[in-house]
PDB file of all heavy atoms in Angstrom:
ATOM      1  N   PRO A 981      88.410  92.395  46.367  1.00 44.00           N
ATOM      2  CA  PRO A 981      88.883  91.947  47.673  1.00 44.00           C
ATOM      3  C   PRO A 981      90.112  92.721  48.117  1.00 44.00           C
ATOM      4  O   PRO A 981      90.942  93.112  47.309  1.00 44.00           O
ATOM      5  CB  PRO A 981      89.203  90.473  47.459  1.00 44.00           C
ATOM      6  CG  PRO A 981      89.274  90.266  46.001  1.00 44.00           C
ATOM      7  CD  PRO A 981      88.517  91.379  45.342  1.00 44.00           C
ATOM      8  N   LEU A 982      90.199  92.931  49.392  1.00 45.00           N
ATOM      9  CA  LEU A 982      91.368  93.536  50.013  1.00 45.00           C
ATOM     10  C   LEU A 982      92.359  92.425  50.297  1.00 45.00           C
ATOM     11  O   LEU A 982      92.028  91.441  50.932  1.00 45.00           O
ATOM     12  CB  LEU A 982      90.963  94.220  51.322  1.00 45.00           C
ATOM     13  CG  LEU A 982      92.086  94.697  52.224  1.00 45.00           C
ATOM     14  CD1 LEU A 982      92.819  95.857  51.558  1.00 45.00           C
ATOM     15  CD2 LEU A 982      91.544  95.105  53.560  1.00 45.00           C
ATOM     16  N   MET A 983      93.582  92.576  49.789  1.00 45.00           N
ATOM     17  CA  MET A 983      94.594  91.537  49.999  1.00 45.00           C
ATOM     18  C   MET A 983      95.693  92.053  50.903  1.00 45.00           C
ATOM     19  O   MET A 983      96.107  93.195  50.797  1.00 45.00           O
ATOM     20  CB  MET A 983      95.210  91.100  48.671  1.00 45.00           C
ATOM     21  CG  MET A 983      94.275  90.280  47.837  1.00 45.00           C
ATOM     22  SD  MET A 983      95.108  89.445  46.495  1.00 45.00           S
ATOM     23  CE  MET A 983      96.008  90.747  45.723  1.00 45.00           C
ATOM     24  N   ILE A 984      96.147  91.183  51.770  1.00 48.00           N
ATOM     25  CA  ILE A 984      97.243  91.492  52.677  1.00 48.00           C
ATOM     26  C   ILE A 984      98.256  90.361  52.589  1.00 48.00           C
ATOM     27  O   ILE A 984      97.893  89.199  52.549  1.00 48.00           O
ATOM     28  CB  ILE A 984      96.743  91.632  54.124  1.00 48.00           C
ATOM     29  CG1 ILE A 984      95.756  92.793  54.212  1.00 48.00           C
ATOM     30  CG2 ILE A 984      97.889  91.807  55.088  1.00 48.00           C
ATOM     31  CD1 ILE A 984      95.109  92.948  55.556  1.00 48.00           C
ATOM     32  N   GLY A 985      99.528  90.715  52.587  1.00 46.00           N
ATOM     33  CA  GLY A 985     100.568  89.708  52.719  1.00 46.00           C
ATOM     34  C   GLY A 985     100.962  89.017  51.444  1.00 46.00           C
ATOM     35  O   GLY A 985     101.236  87.832  51.455  1.00 46.00           O
ATOM     36  N   ALA A 986     100.994  89.716  50.327  1.00 47.00           N
ATOM     37  CA  ALA A 986     101.230  89.038  49.058  1.00 47.00           C
ATOM     38  C   ALA A 986     102.683  88.640  48.829  1.00 47.00           C
ATOM     39  O   ALA A 986     102.932  87.544  48.381  1.00 47.00           O
ATOM     40  CB  ALA A 986     100.754  89.904  47.901  1.00 47.00           C
ATOM     41  N   THR A 987     103.640  89.509  49.084  1.00 48.00           N
ATOM     42  CA  THR A 987     104.994  89.154  48.671  1.00 48.00           C
ATOM     43  C   THR A 987     106.042  89.277  49.773  1.00 48.00           C
ATOM     44  O   THR A 987     106.864  88.392  49.923  1.00 48.00           O
ATOM     45  CB  THR A 987     105.440  90.027  47.477  1.00 48.00           C
ATOM     46  OG1 THR A 987     105.340  91.388  47.839  1.00 48.00           O
ATOM     47  CG2 THR A 987     104.589  89.741  46.256  1.00 48.00           C
ATOM     48  N   SER A 988     106.059  90.353  50.499  1.00 57.00           N
ATOM     49  CA  SER A 988     107.114  90.524  51.494  1.00 57.00           C
ATOM     50  C   SER A 988     106.582  90.213  52.887  1.00 57.00           C
ATOM     51  O   SER A 988     105.390  90.257  53.139  1.00 57.00           O
ATOM     52  CB  SER A 988     107.646  91.958  51.449  1.00 57.00           C
ATOM     53  OG  SER A 988     106.609  92.854  51.776  1.00 57.00           O
ATOM     54  N   LEU A 989     107.502  89.909  53.768  1.00 67.00           N
ATOM     55  CA  LEU A 989     107.154  89.576  55.135  1.00 67.00           C
ATOM     56  C   LEU A 989     106.821  90.858  55.891  1.00 67.00           C
ATOM     57  O   LEU A 989     107.690  91.690  56.124  1.00 67.00           O
ATOM     58  CB  LEU A 989     108.330  88.845  55.776  1.00 67.00           C
ATOM     59  CG  LEU A 989     108.110  88.141  57.085  1.00 67.00           C
ATOM     60  CD1 LEU A 989     107.047  87.067  56.954  1.00 67.00           C
ATOM     61  CD2 LEU A 989     109.414  87.513  57.543  1.00 67.00           C
ATOM     62  N   THR A 990     105.544  91.038  56.235  1.00 77.00           N
ATOM     63  CA  THR A 990     105.118  92.243  56.936  1.00 77.00           C
ATOM     64  C   THR A 990     104.962  91.962  58.418  1.00 77.00           C
ATOM     65  O   THR A 990     104.586  90.860  58.817  1.00 77.00           O
ATOM     66  CB  THR A 990     103.770  92.772  56.390  1.00 77.00           C
ATOM     67  OG1 THR A 990     102.763  91.786  56.630  1.00 77.00           O
ATOM     68  CG2 THR A 990     103.860  93.075  54.905  1.00 77.00           C
ATOM     69  N   ALA A 991     105.236  92.962  59.228  1.00 84.00           N
ATOM     70  CA  ALA A 991     105.163  92.803  60.676  1.00 84.00           C
ATOM     71  C   ALA A 991     103.733  92.630  61.160  1.00 84.00           C
ATOM     72  O   ALA A 991     103.487  91.956  62.154  1.00 84.00           O
ATOM     73  CB  ALA A 991     105.812  94.001  61.363  1.00 84.00           C
ATOM     74  N   SER A 992     102.769  93.224  60.458  1.00 88.00           N
ATOM     75  CA  SER A 992     101.390  93.203  60.945  1.00 88.00           C
ATOM     76  C   SER A 992     100.615  91.946  60.592  1.00 88.00           C
ATOM     77  O   SER A 992      99.665  91.594  61.269  1.00 88.00           O
ATOM     78  CB  SER A 992     100.635  94.422  60.416  1.00 88.00           C
ATOM     79  OG  SER A 992     100.563  94.362  58.995  1.00 88.00           O
ATOM     80  N   PHE A 993     101.000  91.251  59.525  1.00 94.00           N
ATOM     81  CA  PHE A 993     100.257  90.060  59.124  1.00 94.00           C
ATOM     82  C   PHE A 993     101.160  88.840  58.965  1.00 94.00           C
ATOM     83  O   PHE A 993     100.992  87.834  59.643  1.00 94.00           O
ATOM     84  CB  PHE A 993      99.486  90.305  57.825  1.00 94.00           C
ATOM     85  CG  PHE A 993      98.774  89.083  57.327  1.00 94.00           C
ATOM     86  CD1 PHE A 993      97.589  88.672  57.912  1.00 94.00           C
ATOM     87  CD2 PHE A 993      99.301  88.321  56.310  1.00 94.00           C
ATOM     88  CE1 PHE A 993      96.941  87.526  57.496  1.00 94.00           C
ATOM     89  CE2 PHE A 993      98.669  87.165  55.872  1.00 94.00           C
ATOM     90  CZ  PHE A 993      97.485  86.767  56.466  1.00 94.00           C
ATOM     91  N   ASP A 994     102.108  88.917  58.055  1.00 94.00           N
ATOM     92  CA  ASP A 994     102.911  87.747  57.713  1.00 94.00           C
ATOM     93  C   ASP A 994     103.734  87.229  58.886  1.00 94.00           C
ATOM     94  O   ASP A 994     103.772  86.021  59.128  1.00 94.00           O
ATOM     95  CB  ASP A 994     103.860  88.056  56.550  1.00 94.00           C
ATOM     96  CG  ASP A 994     103.128  88.553  55.317  1.00 94.00           C
ATOM     97  OD1 ASP A 994     101.973  88.142  55.117  1.00 94.00           O
ATOM     98  OD2 ASP A 994     103.716  89.335  54.562  1.00 94.00           O
ATOM     99  N   GLN A 995     104.397  88.110  59.587  1.00 96.00           N
ATOM    100  CA  GLN A 995     105.249  87.663  60.696  1.00 96.00           C
ATOM    101  C   GLN A 995     104.433  86.962  61.775  1.00 96.00           C
ATOM    102  O   GLN A 995     104.838  85.890  62.247  1.00 96.00           O
ATOM    103  CB  GLN A 995     106.052  88.829  61.287  1.00 96.00           C
ATOM    104  CG  GLN A 995     107.159  88.380  62.216  1.00 96.00           C
ATOM    105  CD  GLN A 995     108.245  87.601  61.489  1.00 96.00           C
ATOM    106  OE1 GLN A 995     108.829  88.079  60.527  1.00 96.00           O
ATOM    107  NE2 GLN A 995     108.529  86.382  61.962  1.00 96.00           N
ATOM    108  N   PRO A 996     103.282  87.510  62.191  1.00 97.00           N
ATOM    109  CA  PRO A 996     102.478  86.769  63.182  1.00 97.00           C
ATOM    110  C   PRO A 996     101.999  85.409  62.678  1.00 97.00           C
ATOM    111  O   PRO A 996     101.943  84.445  63.448  1.00 97.00           O
ATOM    112  CB  PRO A 996     101.297  87.701  63.453  1.00 97.00           C
ATOM    113  CG  PRO A 996     101.785  89.062  63.118  1.00 97.00           C
ATOM    114  CD  PRO A 996     102.743  88.859  61.977  1.00 97.00           C
ATOM    115  N   VAL A 997     101.663  85.298  61.395  1.00 98.00           N
ATOM    116  CA  VAL A 997     101.246  84.009  60.828  1.00 98.00           C
ATOM    117  C   VAL A 997     102.420  83.033  60.863  1.00 98.00           C
ATOM    118  O   VAL A 997     102.270  81.876  61.284  1.00 98.00           O
ATOM    119  CB  VAL A 997     100.699  84.187  59.391  1.00 98.00           C
ATOM    120  CG1 VAL A 997     100.536  82.850  58.693  1.00 98.00           C
ATOM    121  CG2 VAL A 997      99.372  84.932  59.421  1.00 98.00           C
ATOM    122  N   LEU A 998     103.575  83.485  60.435  1.00 98.00           N
ATOM    123  CA  LEU A 998     104.777  82.646  60.455  1.00 98.00           C
ATOM    124  C   LEU A 998     105.123  82.243  61.888  1.00 98.00           C
ATOM    125  O   LEU A 998     105.399  81.070  62.161  1.00 98.00           O
ATOM    126  CB  LEU A 998     105.939  83.386  59.796  1.00 98.00           C
ATOM    127  CG  LEU A 998     107.286  82.662  59.775  1.00 98.00           C
ATOM    128  CD1 LEU A 998     107.209  81.373  58.967  1.00 98.00           C
ATOM    129  CD2 LEU A 998     108.363  83.601  59.217  1.00 98.00           C
ATOM    130  N   ASP A 999     105.098  83.208  62.804  1.00 98.00           N
ATOM    131  CA  ASP A 999     105.432  82.927  64.197  1.00 98.00           C
ATOM    132  C   ASP A 999     104.473  81.911  64.817  1.00 98.00           C
ATOM    133  O   ASP A 999     104.897  81.038  65.583  1.00 98.00           O
ATOM    134  CB  ASP A 999     105.429  84.207  65.033  1.00 98.00           C
ATOM    135  CG  ASP A 999     106.575  85.146  64.692  1.00 98.00           C
ATOM    136  OD1 ASP A 999     107.525  84.732  63.991  1.00 98.00           O
ATOM    137  OD2 ASP A 999     106.503  86.320  65.119  1.00 98.00           O
ATOM    138  N   ALA A1000     103.192  82.003  64.494  1.00 98.00           N
ATOM    139  CA  ALA A1000     102.202  81.067  65.039  1.00 98.00           C
ATOM    140  C   ALA A1000     102.486  79.645  64.547  1.00 98.00           C
ATOM    141  O   ALA A1000     102.382  78.677  65.315  1.00 98.00           O
ATOM    142  CB  ALA A1000     100.789  81.500  64.667  1.00 98.00           C
ATOM    143  N   HIS A1001     102.848  79.505  63.285  1.00 98.00           N
ATOM    144  CA  HIS A1001     103.228  78.192  62.761  1.00 98.00           C
ATOM    145  C   HIS A1001     104.485  77.672  63.462  1.00 98.00           C
ATOM    146  O   HIS A1001     104.540  76.521  63.897  1.00 98.00           O
ATOM    147  CB  HIS A1001     103.499  78.276  61.251  1.00 98.00           C
ATOM    148  CG  HIS A1001     102.294  78.209  60.404  1.00 98.00           C
ATOM    149  ND1 HIS A1001     101.470  79.297  60.190  1.00 98.00           N
ATOM    150  CD2 HIS A1001     101.759  77.187  59.691  1.00 98.00           C
ATOM    151  CE1 HIS A1001     100.494  78.947  59.373  1.00 98.00           C
ATOM    152  NE2 HIS A1001     100.640  77.658  59.061  1.00 98.00           N
ATOM    153  N   ASN A1002     105.483  78.539  63.553  1.00 98.00           N
ATOM    154  CA  ASN A1002     106.757  78.113  64.133  1.00 98.00           C
ATOM    155  C   ASN A1002     106.651  77.807  65.623  1.00 98.00           C
ATOM    156  O   ASN A1002     107.402  76.982  66.151  1.00 98.00           O
ATOM    157  CB  ASN A1002     107.851  79.126  63.831  1.00 98.00           C
ATOM    158  CG  ASN A1002     108.336  78.992  62.400  1.00 98.00           C
ATOM    159  OD1 ASN A1002     108.278  77.910  61.814  1.00 98.00           O
ATOM    160  ND2 ASN A1002     108.800  80.080  61.827  1.00 98.00           N
ATOM    161  N   HIS A1003     105.717  78.433  66.301  1.00 98.00           N
ATOM    162  CA  HIS A1003     105.469  78.106  67.709  1.00 98.00           C
ATOM    163  C   HIS A1003     105.042  76.644  67.838  1.00 98.00           C
ATOM    164  O   HIS A1003     105.558  75.913  68.700  1.00 98.00           O
ATOM    165  CB  HIS A1003     104.397  79.030  68.286  1.00 98.00           C
ATOM    166  CG  HIS A1003     103.958  78.640  69.650  1.00 98.00           C
ATOM    167  ND1 HIS A1003     104.712  78.884  70.772  1.00 98.00           N
ATOM    168  CD2 HIS A1003     102.841  77.980  70.071  1.00 98.00           C
ATOM    169  CE1 HIS A1003     104.078  78.408  71.835  1.00 98.00           C
ATOM    170  NE2 HIS A1003     102.945  77.847  71.437  1.00 98.00           N
ATOM    171  N   GLU A1004     104.117  76.220  66.996  1.00 98.00           N
ATOM    172  CA  GLU A1004     103.654  74.828  67.037  1.00 98.00           C
ATOM    173  C   GLU A1004     104.776  73.860  66.688  1.00 98.00           C
ATOM    174  O   GLU A1004     104.888  72.792  67.278  1.00 98.00           O
ATOM    175  CB  GLU A1004     102.467  74.617  66.094  1.00 98.00           C
ATOM    176  CG  GLU A1004     101.219  75.372  66.504  1.00 98.00           C
ATOM    177  CD  GLU A1004     100.713  74.996  67.894  1.00 98.00           C
ATOM    178  OE1 GLU A1004     100.773  73.794  68.280  1.00 98.00           O
ATOM    179  OE2 GLU A1004     100.261  75.902  68.626  1.00 98.00           O
ATOM    180  N   ARG A1005     105.601  74.238  65.743  1.00 98.00           N
ATOM    181  CA  ARG A1005     106.721  73.373  65.344  1.00 98.00           C
ATOM    182  C   ARG A1005     107.775  73.307  66.456  1.00 98.00           C
ATOM    183  O   ARG A1005     108.355  72.245  66.703  1.00 98.00           O
ATOM    184  CB  ARG A1005     107.311  73.859  64.029  1.00 98.00           C
ATOM    185  CG  ARG A1005     106.308  73.692  62.865  1.00 98.00           C
ATOM    186  CD  ARG A1005     106.835  74.240  61.574  1.00 98.00           C
ATOM    187  NE  ARG A1005     107.947  73.462  61.056  1.00 98.00           N
ATOM    188  CZ  ARG A1005     107.834  72.370  60.310  1.00 98.00           C
ATOM    189  NH1 ARG A1005     106.648  71.906  59.968  1.00 98.00           N
ATOM    190  NH2 ARG A1005     108.913  71.741  59.878  1.00 98.00           N
TER     191      ARG A1005
END
């Protein structure tokens, strides 16, 4: 499997996921 976003906050995957959660909050 291809894995993305394992440890550090990346601009292309992790940050958008975090931002989407924080938008709802």
Side-chain angles (χ1 to χ4, degrees):
L982 170 68
M983 288 194 309
I984 298 175
T987 57
S988 62
L989 193 60
T990 63
S992 63
F993 176 77
D994 303 329
Q995 193 66 56
V997 168
L998 178 63
D999 291 347
H1001 278 80
N1002 283 332
H1003 172 76
E1004 294 301 322
R1005 294 177 68 85

